[in-house]
Amino acid sequence: MRQLFFLSLCALLALCTSCSNNDQFRVNGTIDGKATMNLRINYLENGALRTIVTAAREGNFEFFASAPQPTIVEINDYDNRPLARLYAVNGETFDLKIDRSKPYNLEIQGNELSGRWADFLRNNSEKMSAGRDSANAVIARYIAIHPDDILSTLLLITNYNSSEDAFAADSLLSLIDAKARPSSLTENYTIMLERLVNEHTTAPIESFRFLNADTARTFRPSDNKANLLAFTLEEDDDYKALANLLERHAKKNRKAFIVDLRTDPIRVSYEGADTCTRILGRLPGGIAAPGIEKLGIPRLPFFIVTDNEGNQLYRGTDSGAALNKLDSLSKTD
């Protein structure tokens, strides 16, 4: 009888342990240098943000949490600097190795997706650490090649710098297949992008510097009643036709001011000539040039029409629509 009771008790404990494991996920981790420090863990549970505070002792830490639906789990130091991220759901167990001096030198075992996420960051650590543009470029390339991979979504919403590239981020998000960007991951991110895009769209343009031939020049919206900024790429096959269109229009409407801003990294040529209402400009830094990077230029060519206060009255890729808006604005009293 005692043996039967013992066996029944073992079975009950195993059942309870199984239920417990299925109601939570477990993370075991080590931090380089045997660091003793407090950690903050953030994740979503049923749409609500949860935070756990735990401690690493001599580099070792462990915590349990509950995520009925797959969620991003972010492990931060106590100043909220990210140390690691993983993609978890109840029933999974993870083993992490964190290198605080090299944040992309991360190793994760637990599920295939989290492992690939860590592998991507580790294998691209130099480019990810080389600055915003470098990191964004390597992530954008991965998304373009793997639109059906949920890792593309994870990289975009966590490791891509969207604050300075909101339009580009929005375009990348639209590239990802719907099945690879579940709303549980992207809902809050989409709201943030909409806010950033609106800020770029509604904020007045301030003055900025550009090159006119080899001379530095300043564009000031207040100098003219109506302005057209044409962000172009001279290497584009259609550029010559566009340049001719802008030149003809400048001769026809002398009350408007047109700046043809070529964004090639190096000057290809300098065909054409300035007129009193059309200036040939160059932005060696492209759409990331100082004063331009906050405009959120999503693609080239791109046109912005402003009044003399810098208000953006047209934004888009349609040169005809931009010129029509320029004409109507220059004719108003």
Side-chain angles (χ1 to χ4, degrees):
M1 178 67 79
R2 290 182 59 189
Q3 185 179 15
L4 179 61
F5 173 76
F6 178 75
L7 292 174
S8 299
L9 180 60
C10 288
L12 179 62
L13 289 173
L15 178 62
C16 290
T17 302
S18 175
C19 291
S20 176
N21 287 340
N22 288 331
D23 289 342
Q24 56 191 352
F25 62 89
R26 174 180 177 175
V27 177
N28 305 302
T30 60
I31 302 176
D32 70 303
K34 295 184 177 181
T36 295
M37 58 188 295
N38 290 325
L39 302 173
R40 291 181 182 270
I41 293 91
N42 299 319
Y43 65 99
L44 291 178
E45 180 186 11
N46 295 324
L49 178 64
R50 306 294 186 190
T51 299
I52 297 173
V53 177
T54 189
R57 294 180 174 83
E58 295 188 351
N60 298 309
F61 67 92
E62 178 184 63
F63 65 88
F64 297 83
S66 176
Q69 300 296 324
T71 188
I72 295 173
V73 181
E74 186 173 80
I75 302 172
N76 305 314
D77 65 16
Y78 211 69
D79 293 322
N80 274 326
R81 289 186 292 258
L83 299 176
R85 294 185 180 97
L86 52 95
Y87 193 57
V89 71
N90 287 344
E92 296 180 328
T93 299
F94 297 85
D95 292 301
L96 278 64
K97 290 184 179 180
I98 295 173
D99 186 344
R100 284 190 300 161
S101 64
K102 299 178 180 178
Y104 297 116
N105 192 26
L106 176 67
E107 296 182 25
I108 298 179
Q109 294 181 347
N111 63 34
E112 183 265 349
L113 183 55
S114 295
R116 287 197 295 115
W117 192 358
D119 291 345
F120 176 92
L121 297 177
R122 189 172 61 255
N123 294 336
N124 294 280
S125 59
E126 289 188 11
K127 294 179 180 178
M128 294 297 297
S129 303
R132 181 199 70 198
D133 292 342
S134 176
N136 281 2
V138 73
I139 292 172
R141 183 174 184 275
Y142 185 90
I143 293 172
I145 298 174
H146 304 93
D148 58 346
D149 188 351
I150 197 171
L151 178 56
S152 293
T153 299
L154 296 177
L155 290 169
L156 179 63
I157 67 179
T158 59
N159 300 109
Y160 190 92
N161 189 321
S162 305
S163 60
E164 297 292 346
D165 293 291
F167 283 89
D170 189 49
S171 297
L172 288 172
L173 183 61
S174 67
L175 286 179
I176 301 173
D177 293 350
K179 64 181 180 181
R181 48 179 171 92
S183 59
S184 58
L185 286 180
T186 60
E187 182 176 8
N188 291 333
Y189 182 75
T190 301
I191 293 172
M192 180 199 72
L193 278 186
E194 289 177 352
R195 178 179 59 79
L196 290 173
V197 168
N198 287 335
E199 286 179 358
H200 289 314
T201 303
T202 59
I205 292 180
E206 300 177 354
S207 61
F208 61 84
R209 304 276 282 176
F210 64 94
L211 290 179
N212 175 227
D214 293 316
T215 303
R217 182 162 176 166
T218 301
F219 168 76
R220 297 182 183 86
S222 58
D223 289 345
N224 308 285
K225 183 178 182 180
N227 303 283
L228 169 62
L229 302 177
F231 298 91
T232 61
L233 193 65
E234 192 173 3
E235 291 180 324
D236 193 322
D237 292 339
D238 298 325
Y239 172 73
K240 191 168 236 181
L242 174 60
N244 290 335
L245 172 66
L246 296 178
E247 187 171 356
R248 290 196 306 270
H249 207 85
K251 292 177 179 178
K252 183 175 69 173
N253 183 356
R254 297 186 178 276
K255 293 183 179 179
F257 188 72
I258 298 174
V259 188
D260 179 358
L261 294 165
R262 303 175 185 183
T263 58
D264 304 79
I266 59 175
R267 186 172 66 189
V268 179
S269 66
Y270 196 77
E271 296 179 358
D274 295 338
T275 68
C276 59
T277 58
R278 175 176 175 259
I279 297 296
L280 295 175
R282 187 161 58 91
L283 294 170
I287 59 176
I292 301 299
E293 80 282 5
K294 294 182 180 180
L295 296 181
I297 308 300
R299 59 186 63 86
L300 297 171
F302 194 77
F303 307 95
I304 298 179
V305 176
T306 82
D307 60 15
N308 62 353
E309 295 181 351
N311 297 311
Q312 300 184 55
L313 304 179
Y314 174 83
R315 289 177 58 97
T317 59
D318 188 335
S319 58
L323 291 171
N324 287 338
K325 185 65 178 179
L326 184 71
D327 288 345
S328 65
L329 180 62
S330 61
K331 291 175 182 177
T332 57
D333 295 331

